[in-house]
Amino acid sequence: MARRKKADELASRVRNLLAMDAAGIMRRLEARQDEMFTLFSRLRSREPLLDTIASRYASGAFDQLIHLPEQEQAVVDHFYGRLDELRWYFTYTEDMPGTAQLIFSKLHKRLEESYRVLVVTLGPPVPPDGSRVVDVEAVRHDAAEAPPRKTLTRTTRRA
């Protein structure tokens, strides 16, 4: 029982590291999208493109992927496969910046789709404050069954 709990905890930590890595990549891509192509055009350097998609945790976490169920492993592999397509393109493209930006848009869209599946499968990363996001479902009530609305009343002190 204790061994199983430890394995579940380890898998949870691996999920979180992968989710943090993927979220960071997607956040950097969104924030730097225009600037990285401006720098690519001006400097003719691939560094701004490649630095933006650098994976921070994945290489260490991959050793631990064995602790995840097969379906989660497949989802993680798919995301990093899409990221690798983008990395390969950025590394070896001879396209001009305008064309590179068009190809990037196509590859980025595929990466975003893969990222959405990853977040649904692994869950979002735990934020720095430690709070957890809880998935909620809206429930519709008929007007006749709706509970009465509660209102807050503000009372003030008179001096």
Side-chain angles (χ1 to χ4, degrees), residues 34-46 48:
D34 294 330
E35 187 179 11
M36 65 185 192
F37 284 101
T38 300
L39 290 170
F40 175 59
S41 176
R42 190 175 48 146
L43 305 174
R44 296 306 292 165
S45 170
R46 300 167 197 280

Side-chain angles (χ1 to χ4, degrees), residues 7-20 61 68:
D8 289 345
E9 186 177 304
L10 182 59
S12 176
R13 288 179 180 187
V14 171
R15 281 185 200 97
N16 189 56
L17 282 174
L18 291 166
M20 285 186 337
L68 298 181

Side-chain angles (χ1 to χ4, degrees), residues 45-144:
S45 170
R46 300 167 197 280
E47 254 182 77
L49 306 172
L50 294 170
D51 288 349
T52 300
I53 59 172
S55 179
R56 292 204 161 68
Y57 304 115
S59 61
F62 277 0
D63 293 339
Q64 303 301 321
L65 281 178
I66 194 166
H67 300 288
L68 298 181
E70 289 88 355
Q71 200 250 335
E72 290 179 5
Q73 292 171 348
V75 167
V76 169
D77 183 66
H78 190 261
F79 173 78
Y80 283 98
R82 295 289 190 202
L83 183 63
D84 192 48
E85 289 174 359
L86 192 55
R87 185 177 293 114
W88 178 268
Y89 178 72
F90 282 169
T91 301
Y92 298 108
T93 186
E94 292 184 8
D95 291 340
M96 296 303 287
T99 304
Q101 198 159 11
L102 290 173
I103 301 294
F104 163 77
S105 293
K106 181 180 97 176
L107 294 173
H108 184 237
K109 191 171 291 196
R110 292 171 67 180
L111 184 65
E112 284 178 322
E113 291 166 9
S114 188
Y115 177 67
R116 279 191 285 278
V117 173
L118 184 132
V119 170
V120 167
T121 305
L122 299 183
V126 175
D129 65 3
S131 61
R132 293 234 180 228
V133 175
V134 178
D135 194 15
V136 296
E137 181 180 331
V139 179
R140 183 177 175 161
H141 295 282
D142 290 336

